[in-house]
Amino acid sequence: MASNPFEDDGAEYLVLVNDENQHTLWPAALEIPAGWKVAQEASSRADSLAYVEENWTDMRPASLISGS
């Protein structure tokens, strides 16, 4: 049975961010999808989650944040 590459605690992940400042964990072994750029280079799942928690404090898309 194949494991889910998005939930593998032993894998390395990138943190990606899009133009709306939305963040996601992305398996480092997979190609980065169009519209996303690397915010944090490959690291452990735990470190990547910590980065997202620290840096994505407003879940609203950037286009909905007024005057901030």
Side-chain angles (χ1 to χ4, degrees), residues 10-53:
E12 286 197 322
Y13 291 84
L14 303 170
V15 175
L16 304 181
V17 64
N18 65 15
D19 290 341
E20 290 286 354
N21 199 40
Q22 296 168 313
H23 290 60
T24 190
L25 267 62
W26 195 258
L30 298 181
E31 184 176 335
I32 298 170
W36 294 85
K37 62 183 177 186
V38 176
Q40 177 178 284
E41 294 296 331
S43 61
S44 70
R45 181 175 173 81
D47 287 347
S48 297
L49 286 169
Y51 179 92
V52 170
E53 187 172 317

